[in-house]
Amino acid sequence: MRIIIYSMLLLLLAIQYPLWLGKGGWLKVYDMEKQVELQQAKNSLLSLRNAKLTGDVKDLKEGTRAIEERARVEHGMVKEGEFFVQILPTDKSSKNTTNEKSAVTN
């Protein structure tokens, strides 16, 4: 009787192995589902980028505003009669050194 029970348990374990660890087992399916989710997230980001690029191409083909904007931003071009003014941020490190010097003298 024990031999039958042990043999049945062995057969049950032999049947369970491919279900859990085999080529199409649950663990492989779980890993594949995670990979599919990651790829779908990447694809959605790429589709957003493609939509933006499609809009840029449409603007470049149809109107002059996009061309003018790119010329201004990328090449620093200015229309006739316009002036280009650039405002540089103040250097914070020079203020800190003067404050430190004044604090030392006090």
Side-chain angles (χ1 to χ4, degrees), residues 90-106:
T90 59
D91 188 17
K92 293 180 181 179
S93 63
S94 64
K95 286 184 180 180
N96 290 338
T97 57
T98 56
N99 288 340
E100 290 173 4
K101 288 178 184 176
S102 64
V104 172
T105 56
N106 289 337

Side-chain angles (χ1 to χ4, degrees), residues 3-94:
I3 295 174
I4 295 173
I5 291 174
Y6 290 135
S7 63
M8 290 295 213
L9 284 174
L10 184 65
L11 287 173
L12 180 66
L13 291 175
I15 291 172
Q16 290 293 313
Y17 176 78
L19 176 67
W20 292 98
L21 304 172
K23 203 174 201 179
W26 289 107
L27 296 176
K28 297 276 185 178
V29 170
Y30 179 74
D31 288 339
M32 292 297 263
E33 285 177 349
K34 291 294 178 189
Q35 289 178 3
V36 167
E37 288 175 9
L38 289 173
Q39 191 62 45
Q40 286 175 343
K42 288 180 185 178
N43 288 349
S44 65
L45 290 174
L46 290 174
S47 66
L48 288 174
R49 186 192 72 168
N50 287 346
K52 181 183 175 193
L53 289 174
T54 302
D56 287 346
V57 168
K58 183 180 175 185
D59 285 345
L60 288 170
K61 283 183 179 179
E62 292 178 359
T64 58
R65 286 190 99 172
I67 296 170
E68 183 179 334
E69 179 182 349
R70 282 186 182 240
R72 288 174 182 270
V73 172
E74 294 176 3
H75 303 291
M77 298 181 106
V78 180
K79 280 184 179 179
E80 194 173 316
E82 287 184 337
F83 296 101
F84 178 72
V85 178
Q86 184 176 11
I87 301 173
L88 299 174
T90 59
D91 188 17
K92 293 180 181 179
S93 63
S94 64

